[in-house]
Amino acid sequence: MFSYCAIPVEAKYFRRRLPRLLQFVFVMLLIAWRPAWAKEHPVPLEKNVDSAKCLECHEDKTKGKAVHSAIATGCLSCHEVRVNKDITRVKLITTTPQAMCLTCHSEKDSSTLKGTVHPPAVRDCIKCHDPHESDNKNQLLKATSGDKGANLCLDCHTQGLKVPEKGSRHAALDMGCDTCHTTHKVGEVGKPEFDFHLTKAAPALCIDCHDVKDAALQKTHNNQPFEKADCTQCHDPHQSAAPKLMRQFLHPPFADKSCDTCHAPAKDGKVVLTQANAKDLCVTCHSEKTDTIEKSKVQHPGAAGDCTDCHNPHASRQPGLPKTNAVDICLTCHSDQADQAKKHYLHQPAFKQGCATCHEPHGGENDHLLRAKTSNLLCLECHGPDSKPKKLEADHLVAIFDGKVRVPEDYFTRNKVVVLPIKFGRGHPVDAHPVADLADPTDLTKVRAKIDCLSCHQPHSSAQPDLLVKDQVNNMQFCQNCHKDLTRR
């Protein structure tokens, strides 16, 4: 049997010296990384140097159209000088630039803010701002207008850069992104004004430029009152593949400009429908939805109301014409699932693609309005070895669940959807591991152990990768929830 005594002398020596070797490697790595956190100053300085000495070389840091107010407090308000023998190093007095900024700008601390924070503002102030001076307001590195290369925002964003040949582009883009956006603005989640950091909510933002009394604009809107409507429900505020900045998905009567199908002439400045109410109007074309809502085995109470509670009757940025988006439109009522969105790892169909990917939104025959009879059939529609999404090349989409659900053509590749090597109900997470109920070998009509995808995974979100149940870590302890004796198969 192999034992420690059998290890050659050289190996035992190496084993004793290993901790010292690791310490040496660690020190060498620190030396290699040292310039990142304590830059060597090209000129030796005295330990008690003052700001006046700094300005002998760095006077340019105090001049510019926008100079950081902290400059007036002195260089040593932010920087620390360290002198060791004849080597001078200068570093920030904090561990990171972000921490330095927050010593004064604590109101920008993302950990204390509620709402959607602009990603660079979470941890990287100097990605957008110069800490000393700039020719741009707010000490921005570049202006917020102009073409790519000159426009700071376009270093990350692509709005307006790739407009299709027959598409349209909002002229307001040339006025500068800060015409409509206030980068650090945050507030209640779900309100576009805060989610997209807008200076104002629509339509107030839009009518700053577009006069609602303009005759041409009124004619374009078929003389219907639109001054209080949310313009962004029909129009993309940046660019579109269609004229007039129209959204990607349009309700056919609206797309065909057959407004009189649904609308009578406006009266006293109010919209008048051709039917008594919105629901009666919708079912003139969508009667099959009424049957689903009223006759389904499992009914959706939310679908029993007015159709326009959930759907925009004109246009939307997503299929099905949700008023907000395919996720938030459901979370308005399902607040328990909204809490699930706070976890770190989200299931893409649930919180990105839309709840209706897996659930019937109007009513269905299965528990929880699922699109399949069992959770396994539901999950394996995308993750199973026999999954066969149907390509709809003309629409750049693929269809699943017998064509009832359509997703973008790159949905499976972009989201790296894992296809499991399951065969005869086994094969995940390791070979021969069952993923379906185990029958009792002494009586095949009985189930020895109930197993399905939900035995191990949560369908919506988790605090840990792999969406494991109870937010558990993927380790042996998790397996021991079922396998009490790991010596047995």
Side-chain angles (χ1 to χ4, degrees):
M1 181 180 291
F2 186 86
S3 68
Y4 179 78
C5 296
I7 299 176
V9 174
E10 294 83 3
K12 288 192 290 183
Y13 175 79
F14 178 80
R15 186 168 180 170
R16 289 197 301 270
R17 294 293 299 270
L18 184 58
R20 290 185 180 180
L21 289 171
L22 289 174
Q23 291 176 9
F24 176 77
V25 171
F26 181 71
V27 170
M28 289 298 100
L29 288 173
L30 283 179
I31 293 174
W33 292 335
R34 184 167 54 187
W37 51 265
K39 188 175 181 180
E40 184 175 342
H41 198 265
V43 178
L45 298 174
E46 296 294 332
K47 185 176 182 180
N48 58 348
V49 68
D50 59 14
S51 297
K53 184 67 176 177
C54 300
L55 296 180
E56 289 179 10
C57 295
H58 300 289
E59 187 180 8
D60 59 308
K61 300 297 183 185
T62 67
K63 296 180 179 180
K65 293 181 180 179
V67 178
H68 192 188
S69 57
I71 296 292
T73 65
C75 307
L76 299 181
S77 299
C78 300
H79 297 282
E80 177 184 354
V81 177
R82 290 187 177 184
V83 179
N84 183 11
K85 295 181 180 180
D86 59 344
I87 297 177
T88 300
R89 299 189 186 280
V90 179
K91 64 182 288 291
L92 292 176
I93 62 175
T94 57
T95 54
T96 64
Q98 180 79 357
M100 184 70 255
C101 299
L102 294 180
T103 58
C104 293
H105 302 283
S106 57
E107 78 282 0
K108 299 291 194 298
D109 186 352
S110 62
S111 65
T112 65
L113 298 175
K114 295 182 179 180
T116 303
V117 180
H118 189 217
V122 174
R123 64 177 66 88
D124 200 2
C125 306
I126 58 176
K127 189 170 185 178
C128 297
H129 299 276
D130 189 295
H132 300 104
E133 59 78 32
S134 171
D135 288 335
N136 307 297
K137 66 178 183 179
N138 300 320
Q139 296 160 234
L140 293 176
L141 297 175
K142 300 178 186 177
T144 56
S145 60
D147 297 328
K148 187 173 179 62
N151 187 327
L152 176 65
C153 303
L154 296 184
D155 284 349
C156 296
H157 301 281
T158 60
Q159 281 88 340
L161 295 180
K162 298 179 181 179
V163 180
E165 183 178 353
K166 296 183 179 181
S168 51
R169 177 180 180 275
H170 196 184
L173 295 177
D174 297 327
M175 299 166 59
C177 303
D178 56 356
T179 303
C180 299
H181 297 278
T182 301
T183 308
H184 289 281
K185 188 173 182 178
V186 294
E188 184 180 344
V189 174
K191 289 190 174 181
E193 178 181 358
F194 301 115
D195 289 350
F196 300 105
H197 319 294
L198 299 175
T199 57
K200 299 178 183 178
L205 177 60
C206 305
I207 61 179
D208 278 349
C209 295
H210 300 279
D211 184 3
V212 296
K213 296 181 180 179
D214 180 73
L217 196 59
Q218 291 180 343
K219 182 179 179 181
T220 299
H221 290 86
N222 205 37
N223 295 314
Q224 292 288 339
F226 64 91
E227 61 273 8
K228 295 182 180 179
D230 181 356
C231 310
T232 61
Q233 288 188 338
C234 295
H235 300 279
D236 189 300
H238 299 106
Q239 66 178 56
S240 172
K244 305 294 183 181
L245 294 171
M246 296 310 304
R247 286 289 186 188
Q248 181 179 0
F249 299 95
L250 306 178
H251 192 203
F254 178 71
D256 297 338
K257 299 182 180 179
S258 303
C259 303
D260 54 359
T261 302
C262 303
H263 293 279
K267 185 177 181 180
D268 299 328
K270 295 182 180 180
V271 172
V272 178
L273 300 178
T274 56
Q275 298 291 330
N277 55 60
K279 190 166 187 176
D280 288 348
L281 178 61
C282 296
V283 299
T284 58
C285 294
H286 303 285
S287 58
E288 79 286 355
K289 295 300 181 186
T290 304
D291 292 339
T292 301
I293 292 169
E294 296 177 354
K295 299 177 182 179
S296 292
K297 179 181 177 182
V298 180
Q299 296 183 341
H300 184 196
D306 198 332
C307 304
T308 54
D309 290 341
C310 297
H311 299 279
N312 187 302
H314 299 111
S316 176
R317 69 188 69 182
Q318 293 184 332
L321 306 180
K323 287 183 72 172
T324 52
N325 59 62
V327 176
D328 291 341
I329 198 64
C330 300
L331 299 184
T332 303
C333 295
H334 298 279
S335 57
D336 55 332
Q337 295 305 324
D339 290 336
Q340 291 283 319
K342 298 176 183 177
K343 294 185 179 181
H344 189 68
Y345 295 93
L346 306 179
H347 193 197
Q348 205 278 349
F351 290 105
K352 299 295 182 181
Q353 190 61 34
C355 307
T357 307
C358 300
H359 298 276
E360 296 276 7
H362 297 101
E365 301 302 308
N366 306 309
D367 291 343
H368 308 294
L369 297 173
L370 294 178
R371 290 190 178 275
K373 290 183 178 180
T374 66
S375 56
N376 275 16
L377 288 175
L378 184 78
C379 299
L380 296 180
E381 180 70 19
C382 292
H383 297 287
D386 298 323
S387 174
K388 294 180 180 178
K390 184 180 178 181
K391 293 183 178 181
L392 305 174
E393 295 182 359
D395 298 320
H396 301 290
L397 299 169
V398 293
I400 54 179
F401 291 112
D402 295 326
K404 294 179 181 179
V405 176
R406 298 182 175 191
V407 295
E409 60 185 348
D410 63 345
Y411 175 79
F412 286 86
T413 54
R414 174 165 47 86
N415 296 302
K416 299 178 181 178
V417 177
V418 176
V419 176
L420 304 175
I422 295 173
K423 195 172 183 179
F424 304 120
R426 295 174 179 266
H428 175 70
V430 295
D431 291 345
H433 191 283
V435 296
D437 292 346
L438 284 178
D440 187 335
T442 61
D443 185 352
L444 297 180
T445 63
K446 296 181 179 181
V447 175
R448 187 181 71 181
K450 291 189 69 63
I451 300 174
D452 62 17
C453 300
L454 299 185
S455 300
C456 296
H457 300 281
Q458 299 179 85
H460 298 110
S461 64
S462 176
Q464 299 291 339
D466 305 315
L467 303 179
L468 296 183
V469 296
K470 298 179 181 179
D471 296 339
Q472 290 180 280
V473 178
N474 187 359
N475 57 21
M476 193 63 70
Q477 186 175 353
F478 175 77
C479 298
Q480 287 177 325
N481 288 332
C482 296
H483 302 278
K484 306 299 183 184
D485 184 355
L486 296 178
T487 63
R488 299 178 61 187
R489 291 178 66 88

